[in-house]
Amino acid sequence: MPSTKKCIITIEIGTNAVRVVAFDLSGKTIASMKGSYPTFHSQPDFSEQDPEQIFITLLYVLKNLLNEYIHPSRTQVLSICFSASMHSVLAIDKSGIPLGNAITWADNRAQKEVQQLKNSPACNSIYTATGTPMHPMSPLFKIAWLKNNDKERFSNTSKFIQLKTYIIQQLTGEYLIDYSLASATGLLNIHTIEWEEEALAYAGINKGMLADPVPIFTSCGKLKKAYQNSLGLTAATQLIVGSSDGCLATLGAGVWGGQKATITIEDSGAVRVIGQKVLNDKQQRFFNYLLTENCYVSGGPTNSGGIIFEWFAKQFGDFKNPFDLEHTIEDLISVAAKVEAGADGLLFLPYLLGERAPIWDANARGVFFGINIKHERNHFVRAVIEGILFEIYSIGKILEEHSTIKSLSINGSFASIPLCAQIIADVFNKPVSISQHNYSVGAGAYLLSATEMGIFKDLDEAARSIVLTEQYFPKKNIHGVYMKHFEIFETLSTRLKPDFENVVSLQ
Amino acid sequence: MSQFLLRNDHSPELEPFVHILEFAQKKNNSINLNSFTDACSSYLRIYYILEGKFDWVINNKSYTLYPNDLGVILPGQHLCAEKGYLDIGSLYWLHLQLPLPEKTNKQSPDGWSQISSQELVSVKKILFLDSTPVLTRIPDAGSIFSSLRNELFNQEIGYVTRVNQLLDELLILLTRKFSQQQNLQRDFPQTFLKLEETLRKDLSHHWTVEEMAALVGLGTTAFSDKVKKFTGFSPMNYLINIRISEAIRLLKKPSVQVTDIALDTGFYSSQHFATTFKKLTGLTPSQFRKNNI
């Protein structure tokens, strides 16, 4: 008996976990499951993950979701679409076996390589060609680091791939990388969609050592027979290569041109716009990643997201039970909501992890500024939240120099806290909406699949289908208060640069 | 009574207790040069500070112990005073042979403990984790030491049982405090990462949920809930995924036998390994190896 029910599955290979979501054809979530894996820090600047563990975790979660909720014999799985965090690097040998762990986006080992390129004339032309900021996160520098510091691994490497490429290769046998992830490697010319010779030369590799870049809608082969059997799927399920988490979070938030920007804040954060043009910033403060031909997701990433507030909660929160961070954070948020906007002139620079956009200063550090004798703990809580959101605003502000932004769509666990959403509306002085989907990366991957299958005419129509549930509007007179504070915030973040450097030398 | 020294080779009080090598309380009023120099032993040494401030070097690291602090020196670790002599103050100490998990026979001198052999394995795992040898502010340990002293000197009916119970109590207290102090109780991701590293270092061990929970300093129920929420898996499934990830890595190295992989990665047998592996990947380990090399 042929089955009538149909679904689309999305797989997000995230920073800390893999999340598998099943959607019905109308975009409603049927089921969602996650499985986490650790990041290992064998040295202070290193962030690595075990590719086999990620693969097994993914397989396990996918299998459980299919068995518990979908029952492939009764519901047809039309397609599976992949997304992944950007900037990972995995070296594999000629048999496709990983040489060591994968290096993740958060790895900072390649600072010397960044400095070296920044001081060379090639810096500007490589940035203009690739759209990827000069930062240790970029695979370009990670590969250069391996060349300079891990000669054995480098010489045994047949290919440098991304985690998503590895997972897809395990499942189908094909080595592919989609345009979005390829454009986040610092090695792809986003204008010609070819690997950029000058960048390849700097990394010390040739293009045969990279996977083939393909459009995000591309089918990436058939599931190997063994996995078909263990998952209960058939060769009829289409595997779609998909895109990067950043691009899909933007699409999944319903942003597609139209003078809108997306703000995503989880542990880290980003402000992004989608447009037909590359934002060519003289100071190289933005990334420009390719979604489809002539369509770019541009913006700036920040290190200072929810992880900074978590740090504060762990140090100064009131833990009623061991490991009960969640309730501790809830208590702090409710405390912060009672404090006036601006925390009575207490400011916080959230640079505990250095900072990417807009100041791109790995040495930046955290600051509380303006403390007086009347400030209490509650003011500090509020100041930390406002500091994180001021940093987001500082990215938005320079984005507005290049494109018009009339409204904002937000996602991510930190940004979606009602207090934060309201502060974002007040600081930006723009209406803010939250999409109905809890997981906008998954939602974006669903839109991509549904467009590929002809449910939507194009991604533009797909993005418009996103229903925005909650709206926040800027409150009268509050924006002005915030701007007075922001002015000091902005001045401090640039003026303190030499002092940051001095203090880092003591740490 | 403010001072005493009981030693197994000449104190009748310790006769029923082969495992207590030395138990003492010392009030130190004067400085004797070279009275406290480097020593390493094959037994467990526990020091409890009553008064004063003691600067010690334990395994080449400096620590300062204050009243109510415990210094726990594991077999094979070195201890000496920073200045070579014992500082002024007063303290208890106990030298103890750790009970052996495999000797639950009450007649054997190693089988004095009532802690179940499985829990003893956990206790030892936790004690020997790379943790700080000083536990701060543990007044409960002080009460145990003074009860021990009273039992040994008064020898009322049932005192042999009580002494061993008190030693068990002390071991359990140490273990719990170690796992709690190791884990800041605020940062589950960090704690969980440490647990993962411990599991990976000793993957052939058949870990139980109780053992894993003990390493983190939580009860099993709280631990399972926390892990499920944080990782999406039950602790056991999480562990199986680590085992299979490691197995896959080894299967890709043609030089390692499948049977060895099964045992090295903590499966009970090749059969158990093959079944678990096939359920997830659709292939037996040998087929997987053929397809991947």
Side-chain angles (χ1 to χ4, degrees):
Chain A
M1 200 181 89
S3 62
T4 47
K5 281 197 285 182
K6 295 180 167 63
C7 77
I8 289 173
I9 286 183
T10 65
I11 294 178
E12 178 192 350
I13 304 154
T15 305
N16 310 309
V18 60
R19 181 169 289 285
V20 181
V21 187
F23 292 91
D24 68 11
L25 298 197
S26 72
K28 205 164 114 278
T29 304
I30 305 170
S32 147
M33 278 179 125
K34 75 155 192 183
S36 76
Y37 31 76
T39 303
F40 300 111
H41 307 281
S42 55
Q43 293 186 41
D45 275 332
F46 286 25
S47 285
E48 298 186 341
Q49 288 179 326
D50 173 356
E52 307 298 7
Q53 186 175 19
I54 292 181
F55 176 62
I56 285 299
T57 304
L58 181 152
L59 211 51
Y60 195 97
V61 175
L62 179 59
K63 194 179 162 75
N64 276 336
L65 179 111
L66 290 169
N67 288 349
E68 274 182 50
Y69 301 101
I70 304 300
H71 314 293
S73 55
R74 283 178 266 157
T75 305
Q76 204 185 343
V77 181
L78 294 177
S79 65
I80 296 178
C81 179
F82 295 90
S83 76
S85 314
M86 295 180 264
H87 317 301
S88 60
V89 174
L90 177 65
I92 53 172
D93 70 10
K94 56 184 188 303
S95 321
I97 295 168
L99 299 163
N101 281 333
I103 304 173
T104 77
W105 67 269
D107 191 287
N108 266 326
R109 72 184 72 184
Q111 296 188 37
K112 234 195 224 142
E113 283 70 19
V114 175
Q115 271 321 323
Q116 203 182 9
L117 185 58
K118 271 188 168 172
N119 298 335
S120 94
C123 173
N124 205 17
S125 58
I126 289 183
Y127 172 75
T128 308
T130 64
T132 308
M134 299 292 147
H135 187 271
M137 70 185 182
S138 174
L140 160 68
F141 298 110
K142 291 177 174 140
I143 295 170
W145 185 93
L146 289 169
K147 178 187 66 179
N148 299 336
N149 299 283
D150 194 344
K151 292 188 171 56
E152 194 188 349
R153 183 164 17 166
F154 191 83
S155 63
N156 289 327
T157 301
S158 145
K159 275 187 187 325
F160 288 104
I161 57 174
Q162 307 248 302
L163 273 167
K164 188 169 97 172
T165 304
Y166 183 67
I167 299 288
I168 290 176
Q169 195 277 331
Q170 294 289 290
L171 292 170
T172 68
E174 305 268 347
Y175 286 107
L176 299 172
I177 182 169
D178 66 83
Y179 286 173
S180 313
L181 278 174
S183 66
T185 58
L187 296 157
L188 188 85
N189 184 316
I190 53 175
H191 312 277
T192 61
I193 319 187
E194 299 277 341
W195 295 115
E196 173 66 22
E197 285 303 333
E198 201 175 11
L200 292 174
Y202 183 77
I205 56 173
N206 59 58
K207 64 180 177 199
M209 295 173 79
L210 299 167
D212 298 329
V214 292
I216 56 176
F217 298 108
T218 308
S219 289
C220 43
K222 293 275 172 262
L223 204 53
K224 287 178 185 168
K225 199 83 194 126
Y227 297 120
Q228 285 179 30
N229 296 342
S230 74
L231 296 167
L233 296 170
T234 66
T237 297
Q238 186 189 6
L239 270 58
I240 299 171
V241 68
S243 175
S244 68
D245 56 1
C247 290
L248 290 175
T250 311
L251 184 65
V255 170
W256 183 266
Q259 305 185 328
K260 256 179 144 176
T262 320
I263 293 173
T264 306
I265 316 175
E266 296 278 2
D267 277 355
S268 55
V271 186
R272 304 183 182 96
V273 293
I274 293 188
Q276 311 278 307
K277 283 202 319 280
V278 172
L279 305 187
N280 212 341
D281 184 58
K282 282 200 173 51
Q283 296 173 54
Q284 304 187 2
R285 290 172 299 183
F286 301 130
F287 55 72
N288 290 283
Y289 300 137
L290 196 61
L291 184 58
T292 58
E293 279 173 63
N294 301 324
C295 169
Y296 304 93
V297 173
S298 308
T302 163
N303 292 348
S304 317
I307 198 161
I308 304 297
F309 192 63
E310 270 187 21
W311 165 84
F312 182 84
K314 280 175 205 158
Q315 311 311 318
F316 307 108
D318 192 3
F319 277 72
K320 296 187 179 68
N321 296 307
F323 299 127
D324 195 0
L325 187 63
E326 214 172 310
H327 284 107
T328 308
I329 284 182
E330 278 171 23
D331 291 348
L332 290 175
I333 296 285
S334 63
V335 158
K338 295 189 186 104
V339 179
E340 295 284 311
D344 291 339
L346 178 61
L347 289 144
F348 173 67
L349 304 190
Y351 307 136
L352 276 64
L353 294 162
E355 188 51 298
R356 288 183 287 170
I359 56 172
W360 295 98
D361 183 358
N363 289 333
R365 288 295 176 268
V367 177
F368 278 107
F369 183 77
I371 310 168
N372 71 33
I373 201 81
K374 288 197 183 128
H375 283 134
E376 294 168 0
R377 193 183 74 137
N378 305 357
H379 292 95
F380 284 83
V381 183
R382 176 99 191 186
V384 170
I385 296 171
E386 289 177 352
I388 293 168
L389 300 174
F390 279 158
E391 186 58 18
I392 288 282
Y393 178 65
S394 65
I395 301 170
K397 195 171 154 228
I398 55 165
L399 266 178
E400 285 195 279
E401 294 168 13
H402 296 262
S403 58
T404 314
I405 300 170
K406 286 196 172 150
S407 66
L408 303 167
S409 175
I410 60 176
N411 54 46
S413 52
F414 187 78
S416 307
I417 295 168
L419 174 70
C420 296
Q422 186 59 55
I423 295 176
I424 292 171
D426 293 334
V427 170
F428 276 81
N429 205 22
K430 295 183 200 315
V432 162
S433 52
I434 300 184
S435 105
Q436 62 185 17
H437 290 283
N438 295 339
Y439 312 111
S440 53
V441 177
Y446 153 78
L447 295 178
L448 193 161
S449 294
T451 306
E452 156 64 15
M453 288 156 45
I455 295 173
F456 300 109
K457 179 164 75 52
D458 53 22
L459 289 177
D460 184 9
E461 187 183 277
R464 285 176 210 276
S465 75
I466 292 288
V467 180
L468 301 169
T469 42
E470 286 169 81
Q471 291 235 300
Y472 294 83
F473 295 97
K475 288 203 218 84
K476 238 188 156 148
N477 307 329
I478 301 277
H479 176 69
V481 174
Y482 278 131
M483 286 308 96
K484 283 187 186 139
H485 289 79
F486 178 75
E487 213 171 300
I488 303 170
F489 175 97
E490 205 176 17
T491 311
L492 285 173
S493 66
T494 46
R495 195 182 289 168
L496 289 174
K497 196 174 168 63
D499 304 291
F500 286 147
E501 244 166 82
N502 289 338
V503 85
V504 165
S505 68
L506 306 175
Q507 292 180 344
Chain B
M1 184 187 349
S2 63
Q3 292 207 74
F4 62 86
L5 172 62
L6 301 176
R7 289 183 54 179
N8 206 299
D9 46 9
H10 62 245
S11 308
E13 291 87 347
L14 291 186
E15 209 165 298
F17 311 103
V18 198
H19 45 288
I20 303 181
L21 306 171
E22 198 169 297
F23 179 43
Q25 182 179 357
K26 187 173 172 72
K27 195 170 174 63
N28 193 34
N29 299 324
S30 60
I31 285 175
N32 297 312
L33 290 181
N34 301 326
S35 57
F36 200 68
T37 50
D38 188 40
C40 168
S41 65
S42 59
Y43 41 81
L44 181 71
R45 291 175 285 170
I46 306 169
Y47 294 82
Y48 180 78
I49 311 299
L50 293 156
E51 291 168 343
K53 167 174 169 284
F54 293 81
D55 291 320
W56 289 354
V57 178
I58 303 168
N59 256 5
N60 299 326
K61 269 198 178 147
S62 300
Y63 298 90
T64 302
L65 288 84
Y66 297 96
N68 297 331
D69 287 359
L70 272 174
V72 181
I73 321 300
L74 299 170
Q77 290 190 331
H78 288 258
L79 163 71
C80 63
E82 185 92 49
K83 308 181 203 69
Y85 55 78
L86 189 64
D87 295 284
I88 289 183
S90 71
L91 71 167
Y92 277 116
W93 70 81
L94 171 71
H95 293 174
L96 183 69
Q97 283 290 16
L98 276 169
L100 298 169
E102 53 277 12
K103 306 267 173 117
T104 41
N105 173 2
K106 290 297 293 168
Q107 307 318 314
S108 131
D110 293 321
W112 56 267
S113 169
Q114 288 293 312
I115 303 175
S116 76
S117 60
Q118 192 170 33
E119 284 184 314
L120 262 182
V121 172
S122 300
V123 165
K124 287 194 168 177
K125 275 212 180 301
I126 290 165
L127 287 181
F128 284 85
L129 275 180
D130 193 18
S131 51
T132 162
V134 176
L135 293 167
T136 49
R137 291 189 296 278
I138 317 281
D140 293 359
S143 321
I144 296 177
F145 275 106
S146 60
S147 306
L148 261 180
R149 182 192 58 199
N150 297 341
E151 291 292 341
L152 284 167
F153 286 105
N154 303 341
Q155 303 191 352
E156 290 177 43
I157 177 76
Y159 86 98
V160 175
T161 305
R162 269 303 284 143
V163 166
N164 285 333
Q165 282 176 341
L166 285 163
L167 293 175
D168 277 347
E169 229 172 284
L170 186 64
L171 278 182
I172 291 168
L173 178 74
L174 288 184
T175 310
R176 288 185 179 182
K177 292 289 176 194
F178 264 127
S179 59
Q180 283 163 15
Q181 266 194 355
Q182 265 235 322
N183 303 307
L184 292 163
Q185 300 275 314
R186 296 200 157 201
D187 196 336
F188 193 73
Q190 274 305 325
T191 297
F192 194 76
L193 181 61
K194 268 198 340 212
L195 172 70
E196 164 126 9
E197 283 164 352
T198 309
L199 298 176
R200 280 173 173 258
K201 269 191 207 126
D202 194 0
L203 210 50
S204 59
H205 176 70
H206 300 297
W207 292 95
T208 63
V209 180
E210 290 77 9
E211 281 173 352
M212 291 192 264
L215 287 175
V216 168
L218 285 173
T220 43
T221 314
F223 174 73
S224 299
D225 290 351
K226 208 77 213 154
V227 171
K228 177 88 187 125
K229 205 166 164 191
F230 176 67
T231 68
F233 299 121
S234 72
M236 270 316 181
N237 283 336
Y238 192 87
L239 180 61
I240 285 172
N241 287 341
I242 301 180
R243 295 195 193 294
I244 293 190
S245 316
E246 191 53 39
I248 283 187
R249 197 185 336 279
L250 293 167
L251 285 168
K252 289 179 178 177
K253 287 185 183 161
S255 54
V256 193
Q257 297 290 331
V258 175
T259 317
D260 292 343
I261 295 176
L263 300 178
D264 288 351
T265 54
F267 291 93
Y268 292 98
S269 63
S270 318
Q271 194 50 46
H272 176 223
F273 173 41
T275 323
T276 315
F277 193 87
K278 186 165 180 173
K279 215 158 71 184
L280 192 57
T281 62
L283 296 168
T284 65
S286 319
Q287 290 168 327
F288 183 90
R289 173 169 269 179
K290 262 195 224 103
N291 284 357
N292 272 281
I293 294 183

